[in-house]
Amino acid sequence: MTFTLRAGDRVMVNGRMRNVTALDAVWAPRVRERLVELARVRSTTTYGALKEDLGLPHPANGFGRILDLVAEDCRRRQEPRLDALVVTVEHDEVGAGHGEGAAAQREKVYAHFG
């Protein structure tokens, strides 16, 4: 199945309207694909490792936008949020923007994609 968001789409993410840029349309599907691979082996990744693995042009501390779009794609597919698999190196937990319940969300991701 192809990524549900396209360049030029406007989506509501975390209470804010976002324009999906051409760069988003290239990288968000790649991030999704990598996160699905990790879900299948019940693993997580850090922001820095994800950047390095994929060669992302975004700074590791600027992944919120891409991960929000991946989460929106998951919502549209009625899937658990894949962004729950991306954790900080300091705390081994999701960033503050994810909200509560990330551990439970990870278990749903693992069950869905595993």
Side-chain angles (χ1 to χ4, degrees):
M1 179 182 280
T2 60
F3 201 71
T4 63
L5 302 172
R6 303 276 179 260
D9 286 354
R10 288 181 51 80
V11 295
M12 180 69 73
V13 178
N14 292 330
R16 296 174 45 200
M17 286 301 293
R18 301 263 175 125
N19 291 316
V20 179
T21 68
L23 192 62
D24 295 335
V26 168
W27 289 103
R30 294 177 188 180
V31 169
R32 176 190 164 77
E33 184 177 314
R34 178 67 180 129
L35 295 177
V36 168
E37 290 171 1
L38 291 169
R40 289 186 176 136
V41 296
R42 298 184 60 86
S43 188
T44 60
T45 188
T46 65
Y47 293 87
L50 187 59
K51 175 181 174 46
E52 188 173 311
D53 288 349
L54 297 177
L56 289 164
H58 305 76
N61 65 354
F63 277 174
R65 173 184 187 78
I66 290 291
L67 293 176
D68 286 346
L69 295 175
V70 170
E72 174 60 17
D73 178 71
C74 290
R75 186 193 67 75
R76 290 178 178 204
R77 295 170 191 260
Q78 298 180 336
E79 297 172 342
R81 290 178 57 172
L82 286 162
D83 60 323
L85 302 182
V86 185
V87 299
T88 64
V89 71
E90 297 86 15
H91 299 81
D92 195 33
E93 194 50 79
V94 296
H98 188 277
E100 295 183 34
Q105 191 65 233
R106 272 193 293 277
E107 289 304 317
K108 291 178 184 176
V109 167
Y110 297 150
H112 183 84
F113 292 99

